[in-house]
Amino acid sequence: MAQSRSAASRTGNGSAPPSAEQLEEQIAQLKSDISELAKTIGALGAHTAGTAKSRVARTGDAVAALPHEAVNMLRTDIELLERKLKAGVKRSPWRALGLAAGAGFLLALAARRP
């Protein structure tokens, strides 16, 4: 009776300690579970890396397109400004001539100063 109490107190649940075969089976099951877990984590990592890689590629393409879009927008803005300037000169040529002369005079003054 004293021996069964000490065995029960070692296992903590009141039952007999597991046999060597049971421990080996549990260890084998744990190894299998760990192996499956490692495979799952590896697959998840590969999937996550693939997703991140495709996002980076899409972002890179978008960033590469930005300079072309910016140049096109700038070109469009310049063409619009040119059309407005031509229309303004056609409406009042003397005013445009006076503005150009004034701007030239201011630029000449700025260029002469050291």
PDB file of all heavy atoms in Angstrom, residues 55-83:
ATOM      1  N   ARG A  55       3.775  41.075 -53.919  1.00  0.00           N
ATOM      2  CA  ARG A  55       3.437  42.451 -53.545  1.00  0.00           C
ATOM      3  C   ARG A  55       4.580  43.399 -53.877  1.00  0.00           C
ATOM      4  O   ARG A  55       4.364  44.504 -54.366  1.00  0.00           O
ATOM      5  CB  ARG A  55       3.129  42.539 -52.052  1.00  0.00           C
ATOM      6  CG  ARG A  55       1.771  42.047 -51.681  1.00  0.00           C
ATOM      7  CD  ARG A  55       1.508  42.260 -50.210  1.00  0.00           C
ATOM      8  NE  ARG A  55       0.221  41.714 -49.826  1.00  0.00           N
ATOM      9  CZ  ARG A  55      -0.195  41.621 -48.594  1.00  0.00           C
ATOM     10  NH1 ARG A  55       0.571  42.032 -47.597  1.00  0.00           N
ATOM     11  NH2 ARG A  55      -1.377  41.120 -48.323  1.00  0.00           N
ATOM     12  N   VAL A  56       5.791  42.983 -53.605  1.00  0.00           N
ATOM     13  CA  VAL A  56       6.955  43.816 -53.910  1.00  0.00           C
ATOM     14  C   VAL A  56       7.063  44.038 -55.415  1.00  0.00           C
ATOM     15  O   VAL A  56       7.349  45.150 -55.870  1.00  0.00           O
ATOM     16  CB  VAL A  56       8.249  43.175 -53.340  1.00  0.00           C
ATOM     17  CG1 VAL A  56       9.485  43.833 -53.903  1.00  0.00           C
ATOM     18  CG2 VAL A  56       8.253  43.264 -51.822  1.00  0.00           C
ATOM     19  N   ALA A  57       6.813  42.988 -56.189  1.00  0.00           N
ATOM     20  CA  ALA A  57       6.881  43.121 -57.642  1.00  0.00           C
ATOM     21  C   ALA A  57       5.828  44.107 -58.144  1.00  0.00           C
ATOM     22  O   ALA A  57       6.123  44.963 -58.997  1.00  0.00           O
ATOM     23  CB  ALA A  57       6.696  41.758 -58.303  1.00  0.00           C
ATOM     24  N   ARG A  58       4.596  43.996 -57.617  1.00  0.00           N
ATOM     25  CA  ARG A  58       3.540  44.930 -58.042  1.00  0.00           C
ATOM     26  C   ARG A  58       3.884  46.359 -57.637  1.00  0.00           C
ATOM     27  O   ARG A  58       3.691  47.299 -58.412  1.00  0.00           O
ATOM     28  CB  ARG A  58       2.208  44.518 -57.430  1.00  0.00           C
ATOM     29  CG  ARG A  58       1.577  43.314 -58.090  1.00  0.00           C
ATOM     30  CD  ARG A  58       0.129  43.133 -57.666  1.00  0.00           C
ATOM     31  NE  ARG A  58      -0.099  43.179 -56.234  1.00  0.00           N
ATOM     32  CZ  ARG A  58      -0.172  42.128 -55.441  1.00  0.00           C
ATOM     33  NH1 ARG A  58      -0.015  40.921 -55.929  1.00  0.00           N
ATOM     34  NH2 ARG A  58      -0.402  42.270 -54.149  1.00  0.00           N
ATOM     35  N   THR A  59       4.417  46.529 -56.431  1.00  0.00           N
ATOM     36  CA  THR A  59       4.782  47.863 -55.964  1.00  0.00           C
ATOM     37  C   THR A  59       5.925  48.425 -56.799  1.00  0.00           C
ATOM     38  O   THR A  59       5.924  49.597 -57.157  1.00  0.00           O
ATOM     39  CB  THR A  59       5.183  47.821 -54.475  1.00  0.00           C
ATOM     40  OG1 THR A  59       4.105  47.266 -53.727  1.00  0.00           O
ATOM     41  CG2 THR A  59       5.506  49.193 -53.947  1.00  0.00           C
ATOM     42  N   GLY A  60       6.885  47.561 -57.137  1.00  0.00           N
ATOM     43  CA  GLY A  60       8.003  47.995 -57.981  1.00  0.00           C
ATOM     44  C   GLY A  60       7.529  48.451 -59.344  1.00  0.00           C
ATOM     45  O   GLY A  60       8.003  49.464 -59.868  1.00  0.00           O
ATOM     46  N   ASP A  61       6.581  47.724 -59.921  1.00  0.00           N
ATOM     47  CA  ASP A  61       6.034  48.126 -61.214  1.00  0.00           C
ATOM     48  C   ASP A  61       5.325  49.470 -61.110  1.00  0.00           C
ATOM     49  O   ASP A  61       5.448  50.318 -61.993  1.00  0.00           O
ATOM     50  CB  ASP A  61       5.064  47.062 -61.740  1.00  0.00           C
ATOM     51  CG  ASP A  61       5.763  45.768 -62.116  1.00  0.00           C
ATOM     52  OD1 ASP A  61       7.005  45.780 -62.288  1.00  0.00           O
ATOM     53  OD2 ASP A  61       5.068  44.732 -62.228  1.00  0.00           O
ATOM     54  N   ALA A  62       4.589  49.650 -60.023  1.00  0.00           N
ATOM     55  CA  ALA A  62       3.875  50.914 -59.831  1.00  0.00           C
ATOM     56  C   ALA A  62       4.849  52.071 -59.652  1.00  0.00           C
ATOM     57  O   ALA A  62       4.651  53.160 -60.203  1.00  0.00           O
ATOM     58  CB  ALA A  62       2.942  50.815 -58.629  1.00  0.00           C
ATOM     59  N   VAL A  63       5.909  51.840 -58.902  1.00  0.00           N
ATOM     60  CA  VAL A  63       6.908  52.890 -58.682  1.00  0.00           C
ATOM     61  C   VAL A  63       7.648  53.199 -59.976  1.00  0.00           C
ATOM     62  O   VAL A  63       7.948  54.354 -60.273  1.00  0.00           O
ATOM     63  CB  VAL A  63       7.889  52.478 -57.558  1.00  0.00           C
ATOM     64  CG1 VAL A  63       9.076  53.401 -57.490  1.00  0.00           C
ATOM     65  CG2 VAL A  63       7.159  52.465 -56.221  1.00  0.00           C
ATOM     66  N   ALA A  64       7.935  52.171 -60.758  1.00  0.00           N
ATOM     67  CA  ALA A  64       8.621  52.387 -62.033  1.00  0.00           C
ATOM     68  C   ALA A  64       7.746  53.187 -62.992  1.00  0.00           C
ATOM     69  O   ALA A  64       8.254  53.954 -63.809  1.00  0.00           O
ATOM     70  CB  ALA A  64       8.993  51.050 -62.656  1.00  0.00           C
ATOM     71  N   ALA A  65       6.434  53.042 -62.888  1.00  0.00           N
ATOM     72  CA  ALA A  65       5.525  53.773 -63.768  1.00  0.00           C
ATOM     73  C   ALA A  65       5.354  55.227 -63.337  1.00  0.00           C
ATOM     74  O   ALA A  65       4.953  56.059 -64.148  1.00  0.00           O
ATOM     75  CB  ALA A  65       4.172  53.081 -63.809  1.00  0.00           C
ATOM     76  N   LEU A  66       5.684  55.547 -62.097  1.00  0.00           N
ATOM     77  CA  LEU A  66       5.492  56.912 -61.602  1.00  0.00           C
ATOM     78  C   LEU A  66       6.252  57.960 -62.402  1.00  0.00           C
ATOM     79  O   LEU A  66       5.670  58.989 -62.750  1.00  0.00           O
ATOM     80  CB  LEU A  66       5.858  57.009 -60.123  1.00  0.00           C
ATOM     81  CG  LEU A  66       4.836  56.439 -59.145  1.00  0.00           C
ATOM     82  CD1 LEU A  66       5.357  56.543 -57.721  1.00  0.00           C
ATOM     83  CD2 LEU A  66       3.517  57.153 -59.262  1.00  0.00           C
ATOM     84  N   PRO A  67       7.538  57.780 -62.701  1.00  0.00           N
ATOM     85  CA  PRO A  67       8.232  58.814 -63.468  1.00  0.00           C
ATOM     86  C   PRO A  67       7.577  59.053 -64.830  1.00  0.00           C
ATOM     87  O   PRO A  67       7.461  60.203 -65.269  1.00  0.00           O
ATOM     88  CB  PRO A  67       9.651  58.270 -63.632  1.00  0.00           C
ATOM     89  CG  PRO A  67       9.833  57.342 -62.491  1.00  0.00           C
ATOM     90  CD  PRO A  67       8.478  56.758 -62.257  1.00  0.00           C
ATOM     91  N   HIS A  68       7.126  57.993 -65.503  1.00  0.00           N
ATOM     92  CA  HIS A  68       6.478  58.151 -66.798  1.00  0.00           C
ATOM     93  C   HIS A  68       5.170  58.924 -66.650  1.00  0.00           C
ATOM     94  O   HIS A  68       4.865  59.803 -67.455  1.00  0.00           O
ATOM     95  CB  HIS A  68       6.219  56.792 -67.446  1.00  0.00           C
ATOM     96  CG  HIS A  68       7.471  56.016 -67.707  1.00  0.00           C
ATOM     97  ND1 HIS A  68       8.431  56.429 -68.604  1.00  0.00           N
ATOM     98  CD2 HIS A  68       7.923  54.858 -67.187  1.00  0.00           C
ATOM     99  CE1 HIS A  68       9.411  55.573 -68.631  1.00  0.00           C
ATOM    100  NE2 HIS A  68       9.136  54.592 -67.763  1.00  0.00           N
ATOM    101  N   GLU A  69       4.412  58.601 -65.610  1.00  0.00           N
ATOM    102  CA  GLU A  69       3.160  59.311 -65.370  1.00  0.00           C
ATOM    103  C   GLU A  69       3.433  60.768 -65.030  1.00  0.00           C
ATOM    104  O   GLU A  69       2.719  61.661 -65.491  1.00  0.00           O
ATOM    105  CB  GLU A  69       2.382  58.645 -64.245  1.00  0.00           C
ATOM    106  CG  GLU A  69       1.801  57.304 -64.607  1.00  0.00           C
ATOM    107  CD  GLU A  69       1.070  56.655 -63.441  1.00  0.00           C
ATOM    108  OE1 GLU A  69       0.697  57.366 -62.492  1.00  0.00           O
ATOM    109  OE2 GLU A  69       0.877  55.432 -63.486  1.00  0.00           O
ATOM    110  N   ALA A  70       4.459  61.017 -64.227  1.00  0.00           N
ATOM    111  CA  ALA A  70       4.787  62.386 -63.850  1.00  0.00           C
ATOM    112  C   ALA A  70       5.208  63.199 -65.069  1.00  0.00           C
ATOM    113  O   ALA A  70       4.801  64.355 -65.230  1.00  0.00           O
ATOM    114  CB  ALA A  70       5.895  62.390 -62.796  1.00  0.00           C
ATOM    115  N   VAL A  71       6.008  62.597 -65.942  1.00  0.00           N
ATOM    116  CA  VAL A  71       6.435  63.288 -67.164  1.00  0.00           C
ATOM    117  C   VAL A  71       5.227  63.580 -68.045  1.00  0.00           C
ATOM    118  O   VAL A  71       5.094  64.688 -68.594  1.00  0.00           O
ATOM    119  CB  VAL A  71       7.488  62.449 -67.915  1.00  0.00           C
ATOM    120  CG1 VAL A  71       7.726  62.979 -69.313  1.00  0.00           C
ATOM    121  CG2 VAL A  71       8.794  62.416 -67.131  1.00  0.00           C
ATOM    122  N   ASN A  72       4.340  62.613 -68.178  1.00  0.00           N
ATOM    123  CA  ASN A  72       3.140  62.828 -68.998  1.00  0.00           C
ATOM    124  C   ASN A  72       2.256  63.926 -68.411  1.00  0.00           C
ATOM    125  O   ASN A  72       1.726  64.759 -69.161  1.00  0.00           O
ATOM    126  CB  ASN A  72       2.347  61.531 -69.143  1.00  0.00           C
ATOM    127  CG  ASN A  72       3.048  60.530 -70.034  1.00  0.00           C
ATOM    128  OD1 ASN A  72       3.877  60.898 -70.861  1.00  0.00           O
ATOM    129  ND2 ASN A  72       2.730  59.259 -69.866  1.00  0.00           N
ATOM    130  N   MET A  73       2.105  63.934 -67.072  1.00  0.00           N
ATOM    131  CA  MET A  73       1.303  64.982 -66.434  1.00  0.00           C
ATOM    132  C   MET A  73       1.952  66.350 -66.628  1.00  0.00           C
ATOM    133  O   MET A  73       1.270  67.336 -66.919  1.00  0.00           O
ATOM    134  CB  MET A  73       1.119  64.677 -64.951  1.00  0.00           C
ATOM    135  CG  MET A  73       0.166  63.537 -64.676  1.00  0.00           C
ATOM    136  SD  MET A  73       0.058  63.080 -62.932  1.00  0.00           S
ATOM    137  CE  MET A  73      -0.396  64.619 -62.176  1.00  0.00           C
ATOM    138  N   LEU A  74       3.267  66.411 -66.477  1.00  0.00           N
ATOM    139  CA  LEU A  74       3.981  67.669 -66.656  1.00  0.00           C
ATOM    140  C   LEU A  74       3.862  68.151 -68.098  1.00  0.00           C
ATOM    141  O   LEU A  74       3.637  69.343 -68.342  1.00  0.00           O
ATOM    142  CB  LEU A  74       5.451  67.490 -66.262  1.00  0.00           C
ATOM    143  CG  LEU A  74       6.323  68.733 -66.256  1.00  0.00           C
ATOM    144  CD1 LEU A  74       5.763  69.755 -65.272  1.00  0.00           C
ATOM    145  CD2 LEU A  74       7.744  68.377 -65.867  1.00  0.00           C
ATOM    146  N   ARG A  75       3.999  67.232 -69.028  1.00  0.00           N
ATOM    147  CA  ARG A  75       3.875  67.584 -70.448  1.00  0.00           C
ATOM    148  C   ARG A  75       2.477  68.135 -70.730  1.00  0.00           C
ATOM    149  O   ARG A  75       2.320  69.147 -71.421  1.00  0.00           O
ATOM    150  CB  ARG A  75       4.145  66.356 -71.315  1.00  0.00           C
ATOM    151  CG  ARG A  75       4.146  66.659 -72.790  1.00  0.00           C
ATOM    152  CD  ARG A  75       4.519  65.442 -73.614  1.00  0.00           C
ATOM    153  NE  ARG A  75       5.932  65.153 -73.366  1.00  0.00           N
ATOM    154  CZ  ARG A  75       6.430  63.930 -73.238  1.00  0.00           C
ATOM    155  NH1 ARG A  75       5.662  62.875 -73.328  1.00  0.00           N
ATOM    156  NH2 ARG A  75       7.716  63.746 -73.029  1.00  0.00           N
ATOM    157  N   THR A  76       1.468  67.500 -70.168  1.00  0.00           N
ATOM    158  CA  THR A  76       0.092  67.963 -70.358  1.00  0.00           C
ATOM    159  C   THR A  76      -0.098  69.352 -69.756  1.00  0.00           C
ATOM    160  O   THR A  76      -0.722  70.228 -70.376  1.00  0.00           O
ATOM    161  CB  THR A  76      -0.890  66.970 -69.712  1.00  0.00           C
ATOM    162  OG1 THR A  76      -0.681  65.677 -70.289  1.00  0.00           O
ATOM    163  CG2 THR A  76      -2.327  67.384 -69.923  1.00  0.00           C
ATOM    164  N   ASP A  77       0.448  69.570 -68.556  1.00  0.00           N
ATOM    165  CA  ASP A  77       0.332  70.881 -67.911  1.00  0.00           C
ATOM    166  C   ASP A  77       1.039  71.966 -68.727  1.00  0.00           C
ATOM    167  O   ASP A  77       0.521  73.081 -68.873  1.00  0.00           O
ATOM    168  CB  ASP A  77       0.913  70.844 -66.502  1.00  0.00           C
ATOM    169  CG  ASP A  77       0.058  70.050 -65.531  1.00  0.00           C
ATOM    170  OD1 ASP A  77      -1.108  69.736 -65.879  1.00  0.00           O
ATOM    171  OD2 ASP A  77       0.555  69.733 -64.432  1.00  0.00           O
ATOM    172  N   ILE A  78       2.196  71.647 -69.270  1.00  0.00           N
ATOM    173  CA  ILE A  78       2.948  72.623 -70.071  1.00  0.00           C
ATOM    174  C   ILE A  78       2.186  72.951 -71.345  1.00  0.00           C
ATOM    175  O   ILE A  78       2.104  74.124 -71.752  1.00  0.00           O
ATOM    176  CB  ILE A  78       4.368  72.109 -70.367  1.00  0.00           C
ATOM    177  CG1 ILE A  78       5.197  72.136 -69.084  1.00  0.00           C
ATOM    178  CG2 ILE A  78       5.039  72.943 -71.451  1.00  0.00           C
ATOM    179  CD1 ILE A  78       6.552  71.488 -69.213  1.00  0.00           C
ATOM    180  N   GLU A  79       1.619  71.931 -71.980  1.00  0.00           N
ATOM    181  CA  GLU A  79       0.845  72.174 -73.198  1.00  0.00           C
ATOM    182  C   GLU A  79      -0.370  73.042 -72.908  1.00  0.00           C
ATOM    183  O   GLU A  79      -0.703  73.945 -73.681  1.00  0.00           O
ATOM    184  CB  GLU A  79       0.413  70.847 -73.825  1.00  0.00           C
ATOM    185  CG  GLU A  79       1.558  70.074 -74.445  1.00  0.00           C
ATOM    186  CD  GLU A  79       1.176  68.664 -74.884  1.00  0.00           C
ATOM    187  OE1 GLU A  79       0.006  68.249 -74.637  1.00  0.00           O
ATOM    188  OE2 GLU A  79       2.024  67.973 -75.460  1.00  0.00           O
ATOM    189  N   LEU A  80      -1.038  72.803 -71.778  1.00  0.00           N
ATOM    190  CA  LEU A  80      -2.188  73.612 -71.392  1.00  0.00           C
ATOM    191  C   LEU A  80      -1.766  75.056 -71.126  1.00  0.00           C
ATOM    192  O   LEU A  80      -2.429  76.013 -71.578  1.00  0.00           O
ATOM    193  CB  LEU A  80      -2.850  73.014 -70.151  1.00  0.00           C
ATOM    194  CG  LEU A  80      -4.061  73.752 -69.595  1.00  0.00           C
ATOM    195  CD1 LEU A  80      -5.198  73.761 -70.607  1.00  0.00           C
ATOM    196  CD2 LEU A  80      -4.525  73.110 -68.294  1.00  0.00           C
ATOM    197  N   LEU A  81      -0.661  75.242 -70.428  1.00  0.00           N
ATOM    198  CA  LEU A  81      -0.151  76.580 -70.143  1.00  0.00           C
ATOM    199  C   LEU A  81       0.220  77.302 -71.438  1.00  0.00           C
ATOM    200  O   LEU A  81      -0.064  78.491 -71.595  1.00  0.00           O
ATOM    201  CB  LEU A  81       1.061  76.491 -69.215  1.00  0.00           C
ATOM    202  CG  LEU A  81       1.680  77.788 -68.749  1.00  0.00           C
ATOM    203  CD1 LEU A  81       0.664  78.593 -67.947  1.00  0.00           C
ATOM    204  CD2 LEU A  81       2.909  77.509 -67.904  1.00  0.00           C
ATOM    205  N   GLU A  82       0.820  76.571 -72.362  1.00  0.00           N
ATOM    206  CA  GLU A  82       1.194  77.161 -73.650  1.00  0.00           C
ATOM    207  C   GLU A  82      -0.050  77.620 -74.420  1.00  0.00           C
ATOM    208  O   GLU A  82      -0.073  78.722 -74.976  1.00  0.00           O
ATOM    209  CB  GLU A  82       1.980  76.144 -74.479  1.00  0.00           C
ATOM    210  CG  GLU A  82       2.449  76.670 -75.823  1.00  0.00           C
ATOM    211  CD  GLU A  82       3.177  75.605 -76.634  1.00  0.00           C
ATOM    212  OE1 GLU A  82       3.100  74.416 -76.281  1.00  0.00           O
ATOM    213  OE2 GLU A  82       3.805  75.982 -77.628  1.00  0.00           O
ATOM    214  N   ARG A  83      -1.094  76.795 -74.421  1.00  0.00           N
ATOM    215  CA  ARG A  83      -2.333  77.173 -75.108  1.00  0.00           C
ATOM    216  C   ARG A  83      -2.963  78.405 -74.477  1.00  0.00           C
ATOM    217  O   ARG A  83      -3.434  79.311 -75.168  1.00  0.00           O
ATOM    218  CB  ARG A  83      -3.324  76.009 -75.095  1.00  0.00           C
ATOM    219  CG  ARG A  83      -3.035  74.998 -76.181  1.00  0.00           C
ATOM    220  CD  ARG A  83      -4.119  73.950 -76.280  1.00  0.00           C
ATOM    221  NE  ARG A  83      -3.554  72.735 -75.681  1.00  0.00           N
ATOM    222  CZ  ARG A  83      -4.158  71.934 -74.840  1.00  0.00           C
ATOM    223  NH1 ARG A  83      -5.398  72.160 -74.469  1.00  0.00           N
ATOM    224  NH2 ARG A  83      -3.550  70.868 -74.354  1.00  0.00           N
TER     225      ARG A  83
END
